[in-house]
Amino acid sequence: MDAAQLGAALRARRRELDLTQVETADLADISPRVLSDLENGRETVRLDILNAVANALGLSLNLSVQAP
């Protein structure tokens, strides 16, 4: 999954929960601008921010081994 796909998945989940970017940013204790950057696939987002947004949306981050 690349940054754009990750951002799209987070945006889709936020919309499923009927949350605005401001509401989600408040839940994750980040600024709406940072959330917007994440949802738009900008690759400068820190892991702690990504984790906070995922938690706010009821998601978890997982790593898996990809087949070669």
Side-chain angles (χ1 to χ4, degrees), residues 10 13 28 38 48-61:
L10 293 173
R13 176 63 176 164
L38 179 57
D48 61 327
I49 292 172
L50 175 56
N51 194 49
V53 172
N55 287 334
L57 295 174
L59 301 170
S60 63
L61 300 177

Side-chain angles (χ1 to χ4, degrees), residues 6-21 23-25 27-28 30 35 38-39 49-61:
L6 176 62
L10 293 173
R11 180 183 303 109
R13 176 63 176 164
R14 176 178 59 78
R15 288 178 176 168
E16 281 178 20
L17 296 173
D18 198 29
L19 294 169
T20 66
Q21 282 188 332
E23 291 167 333
T24 304
L27 289 170
I30 61 172
L35 179 59
L38 179 57
E39 286 188 356
I49 292 172
L50 175 56
N51 194 49
V53 172
N55 287 334
L57 295 174
L59 301 170
S60 63
L61 300 177

